[in-house]
Amino acid sequence: VEDLLFTLPSGYQDRRNLKTISTLQPDGVSTCVGEIRGLDLTKSGNNDVFEVRVGDSTGEVVLRWHKFDAAAMSRRFQKGTRVIFSGKLERNKEALHMLHPDVAVLEADDDAQGSKAIVPTYALSEGITGAGMRRILAEAAETHLDDVVGALPRRTRDRLGVGQIRDALVYLHHP
């Protein structure tokens, strides 16, 4: 469990400044809220591609995954569901799209305010989403964070003016 708690973020997404789809710029990482308008399973060469078409009042973007569990994706993403999504926007001849974006499904009563935060991102293994990894780490922290022992004795920490490793881990995973 300690190894899991020391799985440090590879970066952070700033979800405090949500954009409308029409203001998205290719090659930039952006975060938006939209409603799922359609789902599709397509081909790209020999690979299956799962696509989720998301829109807001200003436009649409296609979210794409090349490695996925079709049944799990179909359960997770339903037409009419509101989602907050973040990723690097690209444009091809067909449409604006994001490849393997980080997506969180919003509950019916969510206004996305609770999603406006700085969110850690992690290197992921196949089959684990960014939201899933954050959930796993939150559960591990809730039950085992107090068991983590830092390498510096209290007197040394006090002399150097540094805090406990527990506090640093909390801040890294929940900035």
Side-chain angles (χ1 to χ4, degrees):
V1 174
E2 189 169 305
D3 287 344
L4 182 61
L5 293 172
F6 279 91
T7 301
L8 302 180
S10 57
Y12 296 90
Q13 294 173 348
D14 188 349
R15 293 184 174 177
R16 295 173 296 178
N17 299 309
L18 299 176
K19 297 184 177 185
T20 60
I21 291 172
S22 67
T23 63
L24 296 177
Q25 295 295 316
D27 297 324
V29 174
S30 300
T31 302
C32 298
V33 172
E35 181 177 301
I36 296 176
R37 295 184 175 168
L39 308 171
D40 200 9
L41 187 59
T42 64
K43 285 275 193 193
S44 176
N46 291 330
N47 297 319
D48 289 332
V49 179
F50 190 86
E51 296 184 341
V52 177
R53 193 167 32 88
V54 178
D56 65 12
S57 63
T58 69
E60 286 189 349
V61 64
V62 176
L63 312 181
R64 291 187 172 147
W65 290 266
H66 289 276
K67 292 184 178 184
F68 58 89
D69 176 339
M73 296 292 267
S74 295
R75 282 190 305 272
R76 182 174 180 212
F77 300 120
Q78 299 288 317
K79 191 173 180 181
T81 301
R82 290 183 57 239
V83 293
I84 184 168
F85 57 98
S86 185
K88 183 177 177 184
L89 187 75
E90 298 175 6
R91 179 185 295 277
N92 63 18
K93 59 186 174 195
E94 302 163 10
L96 293 172
H97 68 272
M98 287 184 181
L99 186 59
H100 298 273
D102 187 29
V103 181
V105 173
L106 297 173
E107 298 300 321
D109 58 347
D110 282 348
D111 63 0
Q113 293 301 319
S115 299
K116 289 185 176 182
I118 297 175
V119 178
T121 58
Y122 299 92
L124 302 173
S125 297
E126 188 172 332
I128 298 178
T129 65
M133 185 64 167
R134 286 188 292 275
R135 188 173 37 259
I136 291 167
L137 283 162
E139 289 174 13
E142 187 175 314
T143 56
H144 298 287
L145 197 55
D146 289 328
D147 300 334
V148 175
V149 178
L152 294 177
R154 181 184 182 105
R155 288 179 56 187
T156 305
R157 284 195 327 267
D158 290 345
R159 183 173 46 82
L160 296 173
V162 297
Q164 295 184 21
I165 191 69
R166 178 198 187 286
D167 298 334
L169 289 171
V170 168
Y171 184 75
L172 284 169
H173 294 299
H174 302 284

